[in-house]
Amino acid sequence: QVQVVESGGGSVQAGGSLRLSCATSGVTYNTYYVGWFRQVPGEERVGVASVWFGYGRTTYADSVKGRFVISEDNAKNGATLQMNNLKPEDSAMYSCAIAPGGFHTRPLFPRDFYHWGQGTQVSVSS
């Protein structure tokens, strides 16, 4: 059984930083993506960043390029998301998810990801 657990959310002022962590277990795919997504109430979940685990291939949403960095975490079979220069519009519930590796997976498309954590809240005040 695949388990995905996020940690590291919290509250910060605009311009500050937070680091999110995603730990996984029970993944049976030969290769897989670890993706970070976010959702605010009343809106659809959107992709933030993902990494093809074991290959280091990263993908970012335009809104976070230059500010967020996703990295593999080999100890946790997951990924960390370092978020810098945070803005109020980054406030959301952030979730980590797993998708099969390969070029058929769209790295920021939520429906291509099958195993989800419960999420961690990020709040950025102005």
Side-chain angles (χ1 to χ4, degrees):
Q1 182 178 358
V2 178
Q3 291 189 320
V4 180
V5 180
E6 305 97 336
S7 61
S11 298
V12 66
Q13 289 190 327
S17 298
L18 284 173
R19 185 180 180 90
L20 304 183
S21 180
C22 175
T24 77
S25 61
V27 178
T28 58
Y29 302 127
N30 289 331
T31 65
Y32 57 94
Y33 286 91
V34 182
W36 281 99
F37 300 81
R38 66 188 183 188
Q39 187 173 25
V40 297
E43 297 185 12
E44 292 188 354
R45 180 181 281 164
V46 296
V48 175
S50 71
V51 60
W52 188 346
F53 195 85
Y55 293 86
R57 183 186 183 201
T58 58
T59 306
Y60 294 93
D62 288 343
S63 60
V64 306
K65 283 180 181 176
R67 300 189 298 122
F68 291 14
V69 178
I70 188 170
S71 303
E72 295 180 16
D73 185 339
N74 291 313
K76 297 182 178 181
N77 292 319
T80 60
L81 184 68
Q82 178 67 41
M83 306 185 294
N84 301 318
N85 190 21
L86 283 160
K87 304 175 181 180
E89 52 263 42
D90 294 317
S91 297
M93 179 67 75
Y94 284 71
S95 299
C96 180
I98 302 297
F103 294 102
H104 59 281
T105 294
R106 291 164 289 186
L108 296 179
F109 196 66
R111 292 185 182 179
D112 285 4
F113 286 72
Y114 300 109
H115 307 282
W116 292 82
Q118 293 200 347
T120 184
Q121 182 68 40
V122 171
S123 298
V124 184
S125 58
S126 58

